[in-house]
Amino acid sequence: MSADIKQLFESGAHFGHKTSRWNPKMAKYIFTKKDGIHIINLDKTVEQLDKASDFLKEVAGRGRQILFVGTGKQAKEVVKAAAEDANMPYVTERWMGGMLTNQQTIVSQIKKLKLLEKRMASGELASRYNKLEVQRYQEEIDGLNVRYGGIKEMRGKPGAVVVMSAVNDKNAIAEARKLNIPVVAVCDTNADPTGIDYVIPANDDAIAVLQMILSQLVDGVKAGNTVAVKRAEERKAAADKAEAKDK
């Protein structure tokens, strides 16, 4: 289902930045300028959002994970909620260099985190160490969760990366491009859309706008997840039938 252009307008999705701060590469997504501010063409926003949602449905339908990224103050909570709703990994704190390109280091940190959590949950740490030492272990667990908690269950290279601000999270986009991972990104009028596969032109400062965009993208992912489950069930049924025939 397409995004509601009226709701996008009411949420302020069309407000870009001051004309003095624009990136000329965003020109084709700009409708006009008013009072020194660029106004985004919401017809383009709806068109691009529909394309991005369909693409994510296809990616999720193949059983691939989609990494959601939003480290800006206004994006953190809505991105986390959306990713968890779609059962997908996310990054909402500072993008740690190498999250995609240095998997060896990231995997080792996640293994460390999971081991510490297991030892804490089992009571092993409490039985072996005093309260102060256990507290320090808990602080280490909390710190690791801040950095890596959202990608604890990420299975290697994701099938796509969704970024809520091409300006704030340009490092995530750069790493994805190095690995040829498709990128979906919200681009305000000051953004550089170069190298972004699915540009969603919109105001990236308004929580209401980000929520609307994420809602449609997550709907696409969920639809894809349903397809992936169905395909997995069909493969299992076929395998079971073949096994029974061999017997």
Side-chain angles (χ1 to χ4, degrees), residues 61-200:
R62 289 188 277 112
R64 301 296 303 279
Q65 289 183 307
I66 296 158
L67 177 63
F68 285 78
V69 182
T71 63
K73 183 179 179 181
Q74 73 282 4
K76 290 183 179 184
E77 291 305 318
V78 292
V79 167
K80 179 181 178 181
E84 289 178 342
D85 186 31
N87 195 29
M88 291 295 173
Y90 61 88
V91 175
T92 55
E93 297 303 318
R94 183 174 68 88
W95 180 268
M96 306 290 290
M99 274 192 165
L100 293 175
T101 56
N102 189 2
Q103 281 291 297
Q104 186 175 353
T105 298
I106 300 302
V107 168
S108 68
Q109 290 296 302
I110 290 173
K111 282 183 177 178
K112 179 181 181 181
L113 169 58
K114 288 184 174 182
L115 178 59
L116 283 173
E117 287 182 325
K118 183 178 179 181
R119 294 176 70 193
M120 183 66 77
S122 69
E124 177 193 345
L125 295 179
S127 66
R128 293 185 59 180
Y129 301 99
N130 62 43
K131 287 185 178 181
L132 180 59
E133 289 171 319
V134 171
Q135 181 182 335
R136 286 174 179 163
Y137 273 117
Q138 186 59 58
E139 290 171 354
E140 184 176 7
I141 289 171
D142 293 342
L144 287 169
N145 262 317
V146 167
R147 294 190 292 276
Y148 307 109
I151 59 171
K152 270 195 295 191
E153 306 304 326
M154 189 166 75
R155 305 184 300 271
K157 188 170 79 169
V161 175
V162 175
V163 173
M164 284 298 100
S165 171
V167 174
N168 289 341
D169 291 305
K170 60 184 179 182
N171 291 336
I173 294 172
E175 285 198 30
R177 298 316 306 157
K178 284 183 181 178
L179 298 176
N180 293 317
I181 300 172
V183 175
V184 174
V186 176
C187 294
D188 210 325
T189 56
N190 64 333
D192 183 354
T194 305
I196 296 172
D197 302 275
Y198 295 87
V199 173
I200 303 173

Side-chain angles (χ1 to χ4, degrees), residues 5-17 29-32 34 37-43 45 188-189 201-204 206 209:
I5 195 167
K6 181 181 178 182
Q7 289 183 345
L8 283 169
F9 179 80
E10 290 173 347
S11 67
H14 57 300
F15 289 123
H17 283 279
Y29 302 111
I30 295 173
F31 177 68
T32 188
K34 183 177 180 181
I37 294 176
H38 274 127
I39 303 300
I40 295 166
N41 186 337
L42 293 183
D43 285 328
T45 304
D188 210 325
T189 56
N203 176 356
D204 65 3
V209 174

